[in-house]
Amino acid sequence: MSEDQALAAEWRELANRYAATSCALERELHDRHGIGMSEFEVVDRLAGARETKLRMQELAEVVHLSQSALSRAVARLERHGLVCRALCEQDRRGVFVALTDAGRQRHAEARPTQRSVLAEILRPASSAVTG
Amino acid sequence: MSEDQALAAEWRELANRYAATSCALERELHDRHGIGMSEFEVVDRLAGARETKLRMQELAEVVHLSQSALSRAVARLERHGLVCRALCEQDRRGVFVALTDAGRQRHAEARPTQRSVLAEILRPASSAVTG
DNA sequence: GCGCATTAGATGCATGCGCACGTAAGTTCG
DNA sequence: CGAACTTACGTGCGCATGCATCTAATGCGC
């Protein structure tokens, strides 16, 4: 098999795995918790951060969203009461984003869903395949 | 490290790799050949197929698109003259999709771009990292 | 202090996507 | 044959995204 073909095969497998996972995540998170994958990602990062609040910029660095998409995702979360924005006093162009109590709770509810989806898709259980 | 954390880390790495690759592919294919990643995927599958024409359904099985998204992607390709649709005589609900000469040529032009992007992203060259 | 470039974030716009549904063709059962 | 069901594909709609651009705040040179 040529290197080209190996490369294409690798890419297809990557795309397959990503599509299967993101698709399942999107559906489960939406149906069971009313949030999308991007929104969960934001909430999850906030919940896992050392600080209680993060700058938009810090979020943008770790989430797979363009700056504009992140701005809108945070806007949606804010509309749903899961995060709140606060001005940054040091640099008044900046915006801090922090989880609300409702946001923390929603994250606590949704995280097990995410983990179980990940486990199911990334660790094809109940099979003897050594992968 | 807990299994949960390992799972989350694995998912993040998968998402990172996918995002980097698809993003670069999308940009390069668009800028240099005027087609998107999904459209290239369709053309690539057609070019690599044993038959000269495929049913929408066959395409839908291998491409990471919903049936409706595929329908529109093929419509775009048809508008650009890269594929043509033909009725299936055996099952007149069905639609065959085939590459045109222009489509074959565009594919021949775009494939090297795709391969070089894949090589660059999936095989982080000029580095001693063993992966 | 006053312009000018830069940076942080928001937004108009065009586009692609999935969902739900519509239409047409095939199939099944009586 | 004919009614009900299923399948294959197209389409209206709402939504999320990226790009380009806008606004506001900061910093820099003078």
Side-chain angles (χ1 to χ4, degrees):
Chain A
M1 183 159 65
S2 76
E3 170 67 7
D4 256 27
Q5 285 172 357
L7 216 49
E10 189 175 329
W11 165 234
R12 280 187 184 163
E13 190 187 316
L14 175 61
N16 277 328
R17 283 173 72 80
Y18 178 81
T21 311
S22 69
C23 214
L25 266 182
E26 195 81 58
R27 181 167 40 246
E28 292 298 310
L29 287 174
H30 179 79
D31 289 357
R32 294 159 66 163
H33 308 285
I35 60 177
M37 197 176 69
S38 298
E39 286 150 83
F40 177 81
E41 176 95 16
V42 171
V43 169
D44 196 46
R45 293 288 184 168
L46 282 170
R50 285 181 55 262
E51 312 288 336
T52 63
K53 56 188 179 179
L54 292 177
R55 289 281 294 268
M56 294 290 285
Q57 201 174 359
E58 300 177 274
L59 279 171
E61 284 169 14
V62 291
V63 174
H64 304 113
L65 288 176
S66 68
Q67 178 262 323
S68 73
L70 174 64
S71 179
R72 291 171 214 269
V74 169
R76 286 194 297 275
L77 287 169
E78 191 178 35
R79 260 202 306 282
H80 296 342
L82 302 183
V83 306
C84 61
R85 292 195 237 216
L87 281 182
C88 172
E89 292 303 327
Q90 284 71 40
D91 181 345
R92 288 169 47 173
R93 294 167 301 181
V95 170
F96 279 121
V97 185
L99 280 176
T100 61
D101 288 343
R104 246 180 300 278
Q105 181 172 346
R106 188 75 65 96
H107 175 254
E109 293 164 8
R111 189 169 47 190
T113 297
Q114 188 226 21
R115 295 305 156 92
S116 76
V117 169
L118 290 185
E120 196 164 335
I121 307 278
L122 297 180
R123 305 258 192 274
S126 68
S127 119
V129 177
T130 53
Chain B
M1 179 160 67
S2 77
E3 169 68 7
D4 256 27
Q5 286 172 356
L7 215 50
E10 190 175 328
W11 164 234
R12 279 187 186 162
E13 191 187 315
L14 174 61
N16 277 328
R17 283 173 73 80
Y18 177 82
T21 312
S22 69
C23 214
L25 267 182
E26 195 81 56
R27 179 166 41 246
E28 293 297 310
L29 287 174
H30 178 80
D31 289 356
R32 294 159 65 165
H33 308 284
I35 61 177
M37 198 176 68
S38 299
E39 286 150 82
F40 176 81
E41 176 93 17
V42 170
V43 169
D44 196 44
R45 293 286 184 169
L46 282 171
R50 284 180 56 262
E51 313 289 335
T52 62
K53 58 188 179 180
L54 291 178
R55 289 281 294 269
M56 294 290 286
Q57 200 174 0
E58 300 178 274
L59 280 172
E61 284 169 13
V62 291
V63 174
H64 304 112
L65 288 175
S66 69
Q67 177 261 320
S68 73
L70 174 64
S71 180
R72 291 172 214 268
V74 169
R76 287 194 297 276
L77 289 169
E78 191 178 34
R79 260 202 306 282
H80 296 341
L82 303 183
V83 305
C84 61
R85 290 196 237 214
L87 281 182
C88 170
E89 292 304 327
Q90 283 71 40
D91 182 345
R92 288 170 45 175
R93 293 168 303 181
V95 171
F96 279 121
V97 185
L99 281 177
T100 62
D101 288 343
R104 247 180 298 279
Q105 181 171 347
R106 189 75 66 94
H107 176 253
E109 292 165 8
R111 189 169 46 190
T113 298
Q114 188 226 20
R115 295 305 157 92
S116 77
V117 169
L118 290 185
E120 196 162 336
I121 307 278
L122 297 181
R123 305 258 192 273
S126 67
S127 120
V129 178
T130 52

